């Protein structure tokens, strides 16, 4: 059986998001075993999952949480992954799959996945960084006369498709792989910007995950795009920025605001998001922040109703009784997150001439 989808990354997030979508709506029919997963790190956890994927067995995704006030607790069986390959141990097989079978490339390579490594070279057996691995594989496909590919980076980076394309082109130019290859990369392959949104709270063993009911994959429309799957939680849109702003300035901003208050109160290491929201004073303060300092900006953007609907879903997600979302995790890289989320919203308000006071966001940035 061919593997038209080649996935870089073994993360539990992809297992409960993209891989689940393929299982439930593969565009070419039954999704059973149509994804080959490539491990690019030396993580023992990833190696355990890869061994399971290589056996082609289905795994479980347990969906737990609230939809409105309805309690959801159900288990799904996902069988879309049929192969697993370690890039460091079997690069030849990764290259064969990439050149001969792949139509779609999906990635979720972690926080440092887009960093380049100057030590990577075109004649290296296995490049270290992900953009260099892609450059080497794409060059092999190009030289073999293979058709252009569609690439779906799922890393939490704005304009992830555009940025990954630029990095791969940078590697190709440094390696002097030639203008025809560069044109093929830039003009014929499709690099798709997208936004993923689902909280996946914990892994299951040997593979699988626990996830909240809410899920979204917002995919930027592009001429010639053929999706690998169809699913109710996938939106193909020519206004991806709408979804980016909703997530960044409501969900992400809310998390960071809760973390700001948590740290100011002493930072209890056992605190969970749902525990904070059980306190009426904290919950009301967050709702008031949304109403006074966030909502008017979305109203000015013409996204008022969408923002109110998304806010309601976010507050429900924050109260998920099954979700252990630790404030210690949310607080990581807190200063940078404040700049991006609080500072970004304040700048957006100025850009659109929204004359409102944003005292809590401004005060938090000053800390």
């Amino acid at each position: 059986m061919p593997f038209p989808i080649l996935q870089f990354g073994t993360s539990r997030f992809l297992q409960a998001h993209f891989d689940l979508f393929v299982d439930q709506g593969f565009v070419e029919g039954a999704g059973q075993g149509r994804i080959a997963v490539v491990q690019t790190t030396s993580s023992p956890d990833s190696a355990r999952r890869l061994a399971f994927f290589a056996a082609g067995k289905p795994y479980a995704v347990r969906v737990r949480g609230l939809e409105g006030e309805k309690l959801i607790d159900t288990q799904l069986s996902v069988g879309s992954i049929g192969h697993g390959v370690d890039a460091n141990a079997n690069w030849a097989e990764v290259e064969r799959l990439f050149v001969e079978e792949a139509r779609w490339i999906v990635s979720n390579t972690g926080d440092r996945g887009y960093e380049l490594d100057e030590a990577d070279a075109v004649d290296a057996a296995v490049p270290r960084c992900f953009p260099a691995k892609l450059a080497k594989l794409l060059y092999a496909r190009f030289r073999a006369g293979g058709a252009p590919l569609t690439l779906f980076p799922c890393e939490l980076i704005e304009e992830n498709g555009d940025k990954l394309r630029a990095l791969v082109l940078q590697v190709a130019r440094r390696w002097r792989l030639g203008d025809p290859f560069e044109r093929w990369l830039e003009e014929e392959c499709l690099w798709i910007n997208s936004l993923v949104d689902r909280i996946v709270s914990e892994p299951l063993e040997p593979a699988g995950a626990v996830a909240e009911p809410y899920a979204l994959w917002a995919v930027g429309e592009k001429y010639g795009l053929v999706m690998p799957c169809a699913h109710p939680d996938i939106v193909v849109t020519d206004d991806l920025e709408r979804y980016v702003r909703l997530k960044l300035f409501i969900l992400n901003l809310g998390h960071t605001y809760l973390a700001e208050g948590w740290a100011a109160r002493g930072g209890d290491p056992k605190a969970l998001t749902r525990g904070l929201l059980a306190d009426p004073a904290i919950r009301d303060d967050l709702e008031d922040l949304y109403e006074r300092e966030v909502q008017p900006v979305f109203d000015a953007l013409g996204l008022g109703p969408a923002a109110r609907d998304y806010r309601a879903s976010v507050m429900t997600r924050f109260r998920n009784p099954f979700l252990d979302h630790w404030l210690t995790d949310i607080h990581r890289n807190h200063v940078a997150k404040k700049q991006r989320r609080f500072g970004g919203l304040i700048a957006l308000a100025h850009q659109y001439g929204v004359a409102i006071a944003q005292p809590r966001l401004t005060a938090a940035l000053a800390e």
Side-chain angles (χ1 to χ4, degrees):
M1 178 185 293
F3 296 100
I5 303 172
L6 196 58
Q7 173 180 306
F8 289 84
T10 67
S11 72
R12 65 178 185 262
F13 175 81
L14 286 177
Q15 293 171 56
H17 192 268
F18 175 78
D19 301 332
L20 173 61
F21 295 166
V22 172
D23 182 80
Q24 296 180 339
F26 184 57
V27 74
E28 294 182 349
Q32 190 74 23
R34 305 310 295 275
I35 301 172
V37 173
V38 179
Q39 178 187 348
T40 59
T41 71
S42 57
S43 161
D45 289 340
S46 295
R48 283 198 304 273
R49 289 193 290 269
L50 192 76
F52 182 86
F53 296 148
K57 297 177 183 178
Y59 61 86
V61 171
R62 191 168 184 185
V63 179
R64 310 184 79 193
L66 297 171
E67 285 185 344
E69 295 303 317
K70 182 182 178 183
L71 198 64
I72 304 295
D73 189 357
T74 186
Q75 184 159 300
L76 306 172
S77 178
V78 179
S80 55
I81 298 176
H83 192 19
V85 187
D86 184 338
N88 294 305
N90 195 354
W91 180 260
E93 172 64 0
V94 175
E95 186 171 297
R96 186 195 68 78
L97 289 165
F98 200 98
V99 170
E100 298 178 8
E101 299 189 15
R103 289 182 58 195
W104 298 281
I105 306 299
V106 176
S107 69
N108 189 342
T109 55
D111 293 340
R112 303 185 65 181
Y114 283 20
E115 293 182 5
L116 297 181
D117 190 325
E118 293 298 321
D120 281 329
V122 67
D123 56 355
V126 183
R128 297 179 185 178
C129 74
F130 179 57
K133 286 183 173 73
L134 266 187
K136 187 176 178 71
L137 291 167
L138 285 161
Y139 188 55
R141 186 178 176 100
F142 172 77
R143 293 183 66 188
L149 289 165
T150 301
L151 299 97
F152 294 99
C154 292
E155 291 83 5
L156 292 175
I157 298 170
E158 278 193 51
E159 300 179 336
N160 42 22
D162 293 342
K163 289 178 179 174
L164 184 58
R165 177 183 58 193
L167 288 170
V168 173
L169 278 166
Q170 183 178 334
V171 172
R173 287 166 183 152
R174 179 158 56 87
W175 289 353
R176 299 180 180 179
L177 299 182
D179 290 342
F181 174 57
E182 290 178 24
R183 284 194 296 272
W184 185 81
L185 276 182
E186 190 163 20
E187 299 173 11
E188 298 190 47
C189 291
L190 293 182
W191 303 78
I192 306 300
N193 294 324
S194 72
L195 171 77
V196 295
D197 188 358
R198 182 170 222 174
I199 298 172
V200 180
S201 57
E202 58 184 291
L204 298 176
E205 294 295 340
V210 179
E212 64 173 339
Y214 181 93
L216 172 69
W217 189 25
V219 176
E221 180 68 274
K222 186 169 283 193
Y223 179 77
L225 172 63
V226 176
M227 293 292 292
C229 54
H231 193 276
D233 295 325
I234 298 175
V235 176
V236 179
T237 176
D238 60 2
D239 186 13
L240 186 60
E241 188 174 47
R242 160 197 181 106
Y243 296 93
V244 171
R245 285 173 169 171
L246 286 168
K247 183 185 179 191
L248 181 65
F249 297 134
I250 296 179
L251 175 75
N252 298 145
L253 180 145
H255 271 149
T256 299
Y257 185 71
L258 290 173
E260 178 81 5
W262 165 81
R265 292 187 298 272
D268 177 2
K270 297 181 180 179
L272 299 169
T273 300
R274 68 170 185 265
L276 295 189
L277 270 295
D279 183 327
I282 294 174
R283 183 177 64 250
D284 291 349
D285 179 53
L286 178 59
E287 289 277 25
D288 191 64
L289 175 86
Y290 279 146
E291 187 62 29
R292 294 176 184 271
E293 303 191 27
V294 177
Q295 184 65 41
V297 182
F298 282 101
D299 291 339
L301 295 171
L303 294 175
R308 290 190 183 279
D309 289 346
Y310 188 66
R311 277 173 56 191
S313 74
V314 162
M315 293 302 290
T316 299
R317 295 164 70 187
F318 284 174
R319 294 188 295 108
N320 186 338
F322 299 114
L323 180 61
D324 290 343
H325 207 170
W326 302 93
L327 269 297
T328 50
D329 292 336
I330 295 170
H331 194 261
R332 290 192 183 117
N333 303 313
H334 185 63
V335 173
K337 288 176 180 176
K338 284 198 296 184
Q339 291 294 334
R340 182 74 188 93
R341 298 164 184 182
F342 300 173
L345 185 69
I346 291 168
L348 196 62
H350 290 162
Q351 179 184 341
Y352 282 86
V354 184
I356 57 167
Q358 294 171 301
R360 284 166 285 196
L361 298 180
T362 303
L365 279 175
E367 292 293 328

